[in-house]
Amino acid sequence: METILKRDLRRIFQNKYVVFMGDSNMRSIYKDFILLLQENKLLNDSDRKAGGNKESICGDILLEGGIYKNLASGIEYEEKRVFLANIFLVKFIFLTRCQNDVTSRIFEEFKTDSEKADLVVINSTLWDTSRYGENGEKDFKRNLPLCFDNLRAATSPTTIILWLTALPISAEPNAAVFDEKYRPENKYWRTQFLHINAFSAELAKKKNCEVLDAHYLFRQHPELRDTDGCHWNANGHRLITSYIAQTVSLIWHVPYIDRNPVDHKERELHRVCYRIINSENENSIMRTLNGENSQGITDFDLNTYLATHIPISNETSNEQNSDRIGAMIGKLNETDRRILNLMDYYEKQ
């Protein structure tokens, strides 16, 4: 894909109010976005890795949280940033969960704000599912519909809510966001994310939100991922910015890269999910997502399986856990095994 340049990003988003809500990956997407509004440069490593520990990054301002509250990077963490320059207003809000007291307060602020966002880009999958114990996935699937409903109620009917699916992680991620006790089996979060992304993407479309399938677009680009197996390098974030800009340009009927708007077929090709699920196929889709469990939990629940069958130990690598890994592979269904093999293939390229 041809990456976007400063002039085209500024043309698409002039006089627009954009909000990014999510984790550290979303914060880096926000930073790349505001940097490109100013100049045709990629994020340097210092700015890419910076967060609430800095009062200003790429010309923005830390409004709340971070160093102002002396909060560590736990589930109580908060951070709000803003970039304001002439005809651009861009905000970032750190989320540790899609629906909690923090998001409720934020949505109330959205309601009373005289300026309504034109675009909200949101994802919190990684934190929701990895930092809240064995019920993380179950709680996420219960909370996400509330998040979409409350966010829609707090914004304008013309606001575009763009759900990003969770970006793919490597075979053995070691980012701080993952709970220490599950790190020996972190490679199996890869299949969990496929199930969870399928659920969240279809739910977002049902709630009349747009979906950008970042997982699909980036799982063939492991070379753009950082060494911690979870975050992405500067080129990766510029590509994400380009996909977001392309998605929005299609919705707003603004040419991308200063060309004629792409047609309906290209919109579908680039996974811009805009169709509304009608009542005829809604039940079929939800049954597919939920399996036989009426609560909407995937058949293979990593947290439950680990807690029930695999004792916590001091082992630190998958090579030291061959029996445990074999047991887990045996628990996966045939589709998941094929997915793991495919992901391993991409990782080795």
Side-chain angles (χ1 to χ4, degrees), residues 161-172:
I161 299 175
L162 179 60
W163 176 259
L164 263 61
T165 58
L167 287 157
I169 59 176
S170 68
E172 297 185 24

Side-chain angles (χ1 to χ4, degrees), residues 217-234:
L217 295 168
F218 281 83
R219 64 178 175 240
Q220 296 187 44
H221 295 288
E223 75 281 0
L224 299 178
R225 194 163 43 216
D226 208 349
T227 54
D228 67 0
C230 179
H231 296 94
W232 297 77
N233 65 23

Side-chain angles (χ1 to χ4, degrees), residues 54-67:
K54 294 186 68 174
E55 294 184 4
S56 179
I57 309 171
C58 300
D60 79 345
I61 300 172
L62 175 65
L63 291 178
E64 299 176 14
I67 56 174

Side-chain angles (χ1 to χ4, degrees), residues 116-135:
K116 301 299 183 183
D118 297 287
L119 170 67
V120 177
V121 185
I122 181 171
N123 177 272
S124 65
T125 304
L126 183 57
W127 275 73
D128 267 275
T129 56
S130 68
R131 296 302 291 268
Y132 292 91
E134 62 184 31
N135 291 323

Side-chain angles (χ1 to χ4, degrees), residues 252-271:
W252 286 338
H253 303 290
V254 179
Y256 176 75
I257 313 291
D258 202 18
R259 291 194 289 265
N260 293 329
V262 294
D263 63 14
H264 177 92
K265 290 184 178 179
E266 187 169 350
R267 179 182 176 118
E268 188 71 25
L269 175 65
H270 287 290
R271 297 303 192 273

